[in-house]
Amino acid sequence: MGENTYRINVLNTGAQFLCRQDEYVLEAMKKSGCGPIHYGCFGGGCGICKMKVISGSYRVDKKMSRAHISPEEETDGFVLTCCIKPTGNLTISQI
Amino acid sequence: MALNGTLRPGLVQLRVLDFDKTLNFYKNILGLNEVCRIGEDRICLKGFDEFDHHSLTLRLADEAGLDFVAFKVASADELEKMKLAVEAFGYPVDTVAEGDQPGFGKRYGFTISTGHRFEIYSEVALAQKGPGIKNPDIWNEPPRGMRAQRMDHFLLYGPNIAEAERFCKEVFGMFVPEVCNTPDGNRLAAWITSSNKPHDLAFVEYPKPGKIHHLGFYLQDWADVGNAADWIALNRLKLDIGPTRHAITRGLSIYFWEPSGNRIEVYAGGYTAYPDNPQRVWDSSELGRGLFYYSGEVIPSFLEIVT
Ligand code: FES
Ligand SMILES: [Fe+2]
């Protein structure tokens, strides 16, 4: 595991995969083949990839549609996984 | 060719999340031309083969999706008559003043049963850079990217499409070349037109109001659908499905998402629709074949994802 690669744990499924810091979590999840892999637009618009970050740090690298993530939800760790990149190991959960 | 007072869907305003990647998509990949900007947050575009001022306005917003669709009607007189007909149908009408969008006259707006804002207008200036009309060449500047010629149609998701269909027939004077029904005889989908195009718009029954499934742009032919697929791959756009063939409308088609997450279709062909032809009717159990004729199967993302 390189310096800029982080481990992503999926709470509900027990899945684990690696994600580079310059890679969207959804991209890495899809590449790894372990899910839950729900994806559509990969653009932050359709909301199908919504999950919750339970712990760990990340940055929102692309605008997440407010139709799917309200400001309160954003504070509570709800994310569109096609819009976030990890800055540390993450535990995420299906909603 | 329009067959009544409603000419065509002529203007769509779509919400996008950024003006960088997304605008680049519409201009350089889809191949539309930028016409003008309205303030900081709206950009107007048109296809190279469209005569009117512009046909697509992108509005910078914090969510993707549809602001409104607007239909051009044949005359100022027709516009006033249609406004009264909309009110008589039961929808309150508001007025958008001339000049809200450069080139466009007054528009009337209202919300239909599916939760979508519809507008009608009759006056719109010709584009400065429209197709030639005097011994014209086929284009003035080489078409870019996917070579989209013009905006073609949209598919809207929302509740009570039976009423929306009735509205389109009774007020817009449109007809319905093709429908899909559930086993208990309710409408699941309807393809509706006011022209010889197989659809100017379509509806799918859906519990949430005001959603758009896709906005469709017209391409020349099957070879251009293949060219569009190359551009999708080259630019790592997210493909939904295609290139494929619809049995419904007979269109040759490919679906994908633009960078803000709105689904786009580029489309060629389609049968010629006439109001006196019998209506084609699909059972929902056969919808897979109707939508994707080659595979005969609907992929879940296609039915479930809307903005
Ligand atoms: S895949 Fe559409 S918002 Fe993430
Ligand atoms: Fe379509």
Side-chain angles (χ1 to χ4, degrees), chain B residues 230-247:
Chain B
D230 290 340
W231 280 88
I232 290 167
L234 205 71
N235 289 282
R236 309 289 189 273
L237 293 174
K238 221 66 211 167
L239 179 73
D240 192 11
I241 190 165
T244 184
R245 146 87 87 180
H246 298 307

Side-chain angles (χ1 to χ4, degrees), chain B residues 174-190:
Chain B
M174 294 177 162
F175 62 104
V176 188
E178 215 149 352
V179 295
C180 177
N181 295 328
T182 60
D184 49 7
N186 291 319
R187 271 288 186 275
L188 180 62

Side-chain angles (χ1 to χ4, degrees), chain B residues 7 22 41 59-60 77 79 88 105 130 134 164 173 207 245 250 289:
Chain B
L7 296 176
T22 303
D41 67 339
R59 183 170 72 82
L60 192 60
D77 189 45
L79 181 66
K134 175 78 170 158
R245 146 87 87 180
R250 304 265 178 79
R289 203 165 57 83

Side-chain angles (χ1 to χ4, degrees), chain B residues 197-228:
Chain B
K197 287 154 59 184
H199 59 339
D200 282 326
L201 74 165
F203 290 107
V204 165
E205 184 71 28
Y206 190 68
K208 285 190 207 145
K211 297 294 177 189
I212 183 165
H213 182 275
H214 68 269
L215 178 58
F217 291 87
Y218 198 73
L219 303 183
Q220 184 69 52
D221 54 24
W222 197 215
D224 269 4
V225 177
N227 172 63

Side-chain angles (χ1 to χ4, degrees), chain A residues 46-95:
Chain A
C46 76
I48 195 91
C49 66
K50 182 172 177 177
M51 291 183 79
K52 186 174 184 188
V53 178
I54 305 299
S55 66
S57 61
Y58 58 94
R59 67 201 160 87
V60 178
D61 189 72
K62 191 177 185 316
K63 206 154 148 187
M64 305 188 286
S65 172
R66 277 281 174 247
H68 303 290
I69 306 284
S70 69
E72 299 76 54
E73 284 182 314
E74 192 169 344
T75 319
D76 290 345
F78 287 94
V79 294
L80 299 176
T81 53
C82 69
C83 298
I84 65 159
K85 295 176 175 175
T87 53
N89 294 335
L90 291 180
T91 298
I92 58 179
S93 157
Q94 252 178 307
I95 49 159

Side-chain angles (χ1 to χ4, degrees), chain B residues 254-270:
Chain B
I254 185 165
Y255 292 90
F256 57 97
W257 286 279
E258 44 90 302
S260 288
N262 295 300
R263 191 191 279 97
I264 299 293
E265 177 186 22
V266 287
Y267 169 100

Side-chain angles (χ1 to χ4, degrees), chain A residues 1-8 17-29 31 57-62 81-90:
Chain A
M1 193 160 81
E3 211 174 296
N4 300 322
T5 302
Y6 300 107
R7 183 178 304 282
I8 318 292
F17 59 91
L18 298 178
C19 184
R20 294 193 320 267
Q21 68 171 11
D22 61 351
E23 196 176 25
Y24 291 111
V25 168
L26 183 61
E27 263 168 15
M29 193 189 302
K31 227 186 326 178
S57 61
Y58 58 94
R59 67 201 160 87
V60 178
D61 189 72
K62 191 177 185 316
T81 53
C82 69
C83 298
I84 65 159
K85 295 176 175 175
T87 53
N89 294 335
L90 291 180

